Amino acid sequence: MKIVFLGPPGVGKGTIADMILAKHPEITKLSTGDLFRENIQQGTPLGKKAQEYMNQGKLVPDELVIDMVKDKISGMDNFILDGFPRTVPQAESLGQIANIDKVINFIAKEEIILQRLGGRRTCPNCKAIFHVVNMPTKKEGICDNCGANIIQRDDDKEEAIKKRLVVYDQQTKPLINYYKEKNMLVDIDAAQPVRIDIAKDTAKAMDLSY
Ligand code: AMP
């Protein structure tokens, strides 16, 4: 199963992927954002290049992302791509390296996205995602999974959020039509108040039990 999760930043792609993975450990989530953040933490040359774009809420240049993804998915059969592709050239390259089964398109209004992004907190260690209101940690500031101090990502701060949403509209939204024309797109209502309902709809679209 080779699936793409498409949707604006903050719509909940990563959270829903984690919920599905918890029930289906045979699937791997590949988040290009997480991969870049790992590279930044480790101080790799790729991390150094990516950081300047990410801090400004801009996309990392296509060739850097495509090479990284190619490396990771070669030989993998069961994966969810979270945050890739984000441009038409990335989608075209992906089409050459993998047979994607479906593209799940997560939809929510901008006010919901802003609320989710502004309150999002992330564990820099295990990558778990929380929200100050919708999904608080049991102990304030501490990751439920691994006990590390959770943080607000620099690009989840207000100025970067605005920029990322503009970038989404300009560069990533065209992928909706790109995949619709290929009959690969399934829409999911990602604004439902109960997260499990979103996960169930997503699993169904992927022909998985939940
Ligand atoms: P994310 O965690 O998916 O929100 O990604 C965080 C940041 O990483 C984005 O704002 C981009 O700067 C960069 N990034 C992640 N995935 C991609 C991609 N497919 N293409 C270009 N930049 C990306």
Side-chain angles (χ1 to χ4, degrees), residues 62-186:
D62 284 339
E63 60 278 9
L64 293 181
V65 193
I66 291 165
D67 284 349
M68 180 176 77
V69 172
K70 256 191 204 163
D71 244 30
K72 285 278 168 191
I73 67 172
S74 68
M76 272 171 65
D77 282 331
N78 280 314
F79 57 76
I80 294 174
L81 286 174
D82 166 16
F84 181 91
R86 261 174 154 104
T87 65
V88 171
Q90 289 181 19
E92 285 169 348
S93 296
L94 178 62
Q96 287 164 9
I97 54 177
N99 276 327
I100 298 299
D101 297 302
K102 261 178 204 164
V103 177
I104 311 286
N105 180 35
F106 292 88
I107 300 172
K109 282 201 193 108
E110 187 165 309
E111 61 186 88
I112 291 186
I113 288 166
L114 289 174
Q115 191 265 350
R116 287 184 184 164
L117 274 179
R120 178 159 74 179
R121 298 293 180 270
T122 313
C123 175
N125 181 43
C126 75
K127 319 287 181 263
I129 304 163
F130 301 94
H131 188 281
V132 288
V133 179
N134 304 342
M135 211 189 335
T137 50
K138 292 195 184 89
K139 205 171 153 197
E140 202 183 322
I142 304 294
C143 175
D144 289 353
N145 293 343
C146 73
N149 288 324
I150 56 169
I151 55 157
Q152 182 175 36
R153 282 167 40 181
D154 281 340
D155 61 351
D156 279 347
K157 293 176 184 160
E158 204 175 331
E159 273 316 297
I161 288 176
K162 284 187 199 146
K163 173 80 186 160
R164 288 164 72 202
L165 291 174
V166 172
V167 166
Y168 170 79
D169 271 341
Q170 291 174 345
Q171 301 193 58
T172 308
K173 224 175 179 180
L175 292 181
I176 294 178
N177 270 336
Y178 178 91
Y179 283 121
K180 205 180 258 173
E181 281 168 9
K182 293 183 187 291
N183 275 326
M184 291 167 74
L185 201 77
V186 184

